[in-house]
Amino acid sequence: MEQEMFCFQCEQAANCAGCTGRAGVCGKTSETARLQDRLTGALIGLARASNGEAHLAEDVCRLMIRALFATLTNVNFDPQALGQLIDLVHREQERLVPGCAVCSAPCGRAEDYDMTRLWNAPEDIRSLKSLVLFGLRGMAAYAYHAMVLDFWDDEVGQFFRRALFALGEDWGMDDLLPLALEVGEQNLACMALLDRANTHAFGTPEPAQVSMVVEPGPFIVVSGHDLLDLKLLLDQTAGTGVSVYTHGEMLPAHGYPNLRAYPHLKGNFGTAWQNQQQEFDAIPAPVLFTTNCLMPPRGSYADRVFTTGTVGYPGMVHIGADRDFSPVIQKALELGGYANRRQLSGINGGTTLTTGFAHGAVLARADQIVEAVKSGAIRHFFLVGGCDGARPGRNYYTEFVKLTPPDTVVLTLACGKFRFNDLDLGTVAGLPRLMDVGQCNDAYSAIQIALALANVFGCGVNELPLSMVLSWYEQKAVCILLTLLHLGIQNIRLGPTLPAFLSPNVLAYLAEHYHIAPITTPERDLMAMLGE
């Protein structure tokens, strides 16, 4: 009989408490959940097996990162792929402590950690260990994207071992709280590494207007976050007559000069990840998922879904490490695309999108921004971003942005922006009122913008006319939140619900020390932020 699951790592956890039974809200089966727990337990066992080593080999750290990434929500649903990762981890354990399995005096150093110990731990310990684990999973995504571009930070890599080791220990709250903040510190370094990797490979992002028109003829839709996969696909589709369109978190790719230079990178198809089952319904083109967020494909388009990298789903064609996208291109030519030009639109009816306002582009306008603030032309900045999702209540973010006064600026990032990024908010002091900073990892850009402004005005970030209204869904949002807490940023409003894995005591600690609060109504929250 199939074992039941328990999972509460994402915002859509059933009843805001946790998914149990045979399937999660995300679509993963209890078998997949069990294998992800086994993989996590094996990784903790690997970290414990390496405890005697002051420094792990880089290839072992890379394995830890790749395996953690596979346990992120909406990444890998494939039991075979997860089983292969478990085998790789076990082989590495055996290499570190050979013969341990047949030792007559077992010390437990190479045993897999039983994840039920974590899920059944005392409430506050479970909460803090979950906060650390989920933050690690999110950080693993960013580390993975950097390392495929050949950028590596060994301190970040070694931290995965240290933090995984700690999860297997019987630490109390006094030890786990600093560890959670250290996840935030290390994630800041990880996002900085990825920022360097992306700009080195693809250039410094610049503001770009993105079409939502789909031209006639064969095309491919690329979803996920991996810019290198997009670059390789663009290389391979050049001269084939196949156009390429971004989807979801790939939208910011249009801001990178070295990607925008490809004339067959046409525009953006669709909105955020949770709408894919409707937007891809009977689409006459293949869809390539490079990372999360994959939902179980419907039968109307399942035959045209391809995965690559850490993404996996049973029955889907997976493009291996050689990144030969020939099957995807062939499928695009076979399907032929639309016969006529199609004008798509955003959630609010807008037909174009703007992106590319990363820290380089915004800080190039620093003098203009500072003068506008000093003159009173710009009264306040809002960072409204994070993950999107299907749970009711996320229209809060659309209404909030619509209500922001004309003398304010809205910075946004991640897929939460699709709730409002097709709105025309106009300009203020010669600047667009809505600036798309980029992907979720570009929270680093938002942080750099805030730190630079604080430096200019000679104050702390918390004294700036800046408010943060964040939405969360999966574990990358967790590590970003921990980074903001590490930096001492306060008064963050979080929604649409608070994480199920935060116990009342842990939540009370965050509220007391960082003044984190749940969103209420757009009107009330806006008045509080503006001091009205």
Side-chain angles (χ1 to χ4, degrees), residues 44 47 132-133 136 139 158-169 171 176 179 182-183:
I44 294 173
V132 170
L133 174 60
L136 282 180
M139 189 171 80
Q158 298 299 322
F159 177 73
F160 284 100
R161 177 191 69 84
R162 291 196 292 112
L164 285 167
F165 174 85
L167 290 175
E169 294 292 285
W171 286 14
L176 290 171
L179 180 63
E182 190 176 1
V183 173

Side-chain angles (χ1 to χ4, degrees), residues 130-371:
S130 296
L131 189 59
V132 170
L133 174 60
F134 301 156
L136 282 180
R137 287 176 172 175
M139 189 171 80
Y142 300 146
Y144 176 90
H145 291 309
M147 73 186 192
V148 298
L149 290 169
D150 294 324
F151 274 66
W152 180 257
D153 183 324
D154 198 58
E155 184 178 348
V156 170
Q158 298 299 322
F159 177 73
F160 284 100
R161 177 191 69 84
R162 291 196 292 112
L164 285 167
F165 174 85
L167 290 175
E169 294 292 285
D170 294 325
W171 286 14
M173 291 186 68
D174 289 344
D175 294 313
L176 290 171
L177 275 167
L179 180 63
L181 292 178
E182 190 176 1
V183 173
E185 179 183 12
Q186 295 291 339
N187 183 61
L188 180 62
C190 191
M191 290 194 298
L193 180 73
L194 181 53
D195 181 76
R196 293 196 300 274
N198 283 337
T199 54
H200 178 266
F202 311 115
T204 300
E206 301 168 354
Q209 191 171 68
V210 183
S211 170
M212 296 181 72
V213 170
V214 181
E215 302 290 348
F219 66 96
I220 297 169
V221 175
V222 185
S223 193
H225 304 70
D226 199 297
L227 299 177
L228 178 59
D229 283 332
L230 174 60
K231 167 70 164 57
L232 296 174
L233 179 67
L234 289 168
D235 286 336
Q236 294 177 40
T237 48
T240 65
V242 175
S243 299
V244 176
Y245 294 83
T246 56
H247 171 264
E249 284 266 54
M250 277 296 194
L251 169 64
H254 294 274
Y256 288 92
N258 296 350
L259 296 175
R260 193 168 63 246
Y262 288 87
H264 59 297
L265 178 62
K266 294 292 188 180
N268 191 72
F269 184 102
T271 54
W273 67 272
Q274 79 278 359
N275 300 318
Q276 64 189 257
Q277 291 180 329
Q278 290 77 40
E279 292 173 347
F280 296 160
D281 189 50
I283 180 176
V287 182
L288 175 66
F289 283 89
T290 64
T291 56
N292 60 321
C293 304
L294 170 67
M295 295 178 72
R298 289 182 173 175
S300 62
Y301 65 90
D303 65 331
R304 55 208 68 184
V305 171
F306 295 80
T307 62
T308 192
T310 55
V311 193
Y313 195 87
M316 301 296 102
V317 176
H318 187 77
I319 306 300
D322 62 356
R323 294 303 196 271
D324 179 1
F325 294 117
S326 299
V328 191
I329 298 169
Q330 184 57 43
K331 178 61 77 171
L333 293 169
E334 173 190 322
L335 293 169
Y338 294 113
N340 301 304
R341 180 180 185 271
R342 291 207 171 194
Q343 175 68 69
L344 304 182
S345 62
I347 289 176
N348 303 287
T351 56
T352 59
L353 304 171
T354 304
T355 190
F357 286 95
H359 61 95
V362 175
L363 294 181
R365 298 161 173 78
D367 291 345
Q368 185 180 356
I369 294 171
V370 169
E371 178 56 34

Side-chain angles (χ1 to χ4, degrees), residues 433-507:
R433 285 196 55 230
L434 180 61
M435 299 185 189
D436 176 11
V437 176
Q439 293 184 343
C440 54
N441 55 278
D442 291 310
Y444 177 76
S445 271
I447 289 168
Q448 295 309 303
I449 292 168
L451 293 176
L453 290 176
N455 182 61
V456 168
F457 288 109
C459 65
V461 172
N462 292 318
E463 283 71 57
L464 286 173
L466 169 67
S467 300
M468 298 190 181
V469 189
L470 306 181
S471 56
W472 82 284
Y473 172 74
E474 44 93 329
Q475 296 75 65
K476 285 180 284 184
V478 176
C479 66
I480 291 170
L481 177 63
L482 290 174
T483 294
L484 297 175
L485 299 184
H486 156 70
L487 292 169
I489 294 175
Q490 300 192 0
N491 299 309
I492 298 168
R493 282 171 170 77
L494 186 64
T497 63
L498 294 177
F501 54 82
L502 290 182
S503 67
N505 285 336
V506 171
L507 184 58

Side-chain angles (χ1 to χ4, degrees), residues 366-391:
D367 291 345
Q368 185 180 356
I369 294 171
V370 169
E371 178 56 34
V373 173
K374 288 181 175 178
S375 69
I378 294 179
R379 179 174 30 148
H380 206 85
F381 295 87
F382 300 98
L383 175 60
V384 187
C387 309
D388 206 356
R391 190 188 294 276

